[in-house]
Amino acid sequence: MIRKMRRFKQQLSKEECEGLLKVAPRGVLAVLGDEGYPYAVPLNFVYDDGSIYFHCAADGHKMDALLACDKASFCVLDEGRQEEGEWWLHFNSVIAFGRVQRVVEEDAMRDALHKLGRKYFPQGYDLEGDIARNLSRVAILRLSIEHLTGKHVREK
C-alpha cells in the first residue's frame, strides 16, 4: 500500500506532476540494492504516457537490483524559485512509484531512444546514426507508474 501524503494541502495535481516529469532534465531512480541497502542513481529520462524510460548499460548494480526486485521509485524536482522578499526557496517535486521492466522489442527500444534523443540531443544531431551504432549495446528500462505524487515545498 502506498501511503497518502501527510501534507495534502501542498499536494500537486496529476497534471502538475506530469508537467514536471515532461520538463525535468534528470531524476533519481531508487531501487533495493545489495544486502538490502537502497541504491539511488541519477539518470536522464523521458516521460511518456504514464511511463518513464531510461537508457543504461545492460549490466551493473542497477540491473542486478532490478532483476532481484522490480519495484522502484523515481524522484524529480524543479529548480525552485524565491518569492520577492523571501530568502527561502519554493520548489515542486514529484515521486513516481512503480515496476521497472527491460524493453526488449527492437521497435519499442528505437522509439524510446528517439524520445530520449529528442529531449537531450541538439537539433541536427545524427540521432539515427547514433541509434544504429549503439542499439545492440544499450538497455532500455521502462518504469510503469503505479502511483504518482507531487508536492509544493517551502524550504522555510
Side-chain angles (χ1 to χ4, degrees):
M1 230 20 224
I2 301 290
R3 295 178 187 214
K4 289 187 177 186
M5 184 181 292
R6 190 173 54 85
R7 295 195 165 189
F8 60 90
K9 290 180 181 178
Q10 294 172 273
Q11 189 164 351
L12 300 179
S13 69
K14 180 181 179 189
E15 293 75 24
E16 289 171 311
C17 291
E18 289 177 330
L20 182 51
L21 285 172
K22 288 176 184 175
V23 299
R26 60 202 43 82
V28 178
L29 179 70
V31 297
L32 183 60
D34 293 346
E35 297 185 32
Y37 283 99
Y39 179 64
V41 59
L43 295 171
N44 291 338
F45 73 99
V46 66
Y47 172 78
D48 184 53
D49 194 30
S51 294
I52 300 171
Y53 294 88
F54 316 96
H55 70 89
C56 61
D59 58 357
H61 192 164
K62 174 175 56 269
M63 295 299 280
D64 291 345
L66 289 167
L67 285 173
C69 178
D70 66 350
K71 292 179 180 177
S73 67
F74 186 71
C75 179
V76 299
L77 56 122
D78 66 16
E79 294 294 317
R81 67 189 181 292
Q82 281 183 300
E83 298 290 332
E84 190 171 331
E86 297 177 348
W87 57 265
W88 57 88
L89 282 179
H90 295 252
F91 66 91
N92 295 322
S93 64
V94 171
I95 302 176
F97 298 87
R99 295 180 183 266
V100 178
Q101 299 296 322
R102 186 169 178 176
V103 176
V104 294
E105 201 275 321
E106 187 174 315
D107 287 342
M109 290 178 66
R110 286 181 181 279
D111 183 56
L113 287 169
H114 276 102
K115 290 172 183 163
L116 284 159
R118 284 192 297 273
K119 181 175 180 181
Y120 291 102
F121 294 150
Q123 189 172 8
Y125 181 81
D126 181 16
L127 182 56
E128 289 299 324
D130 193 295
I131 291 171
R133 285 187 303 277
N134 296 302
L135 185 66
S136 65
R137 51 181 198 253
V138 69
I140 301 295
L141 302 176
R142 178 182 57 241
L143 171 66
S144 299
I145 298 173
E146 296 174 355
H147 182 73
L148 186 63
T149 187
K151 183 164 118 178
H152 176 77
V153 176
R154 276 184 44 202
E155 284 190 321
K156 185 176 179 184

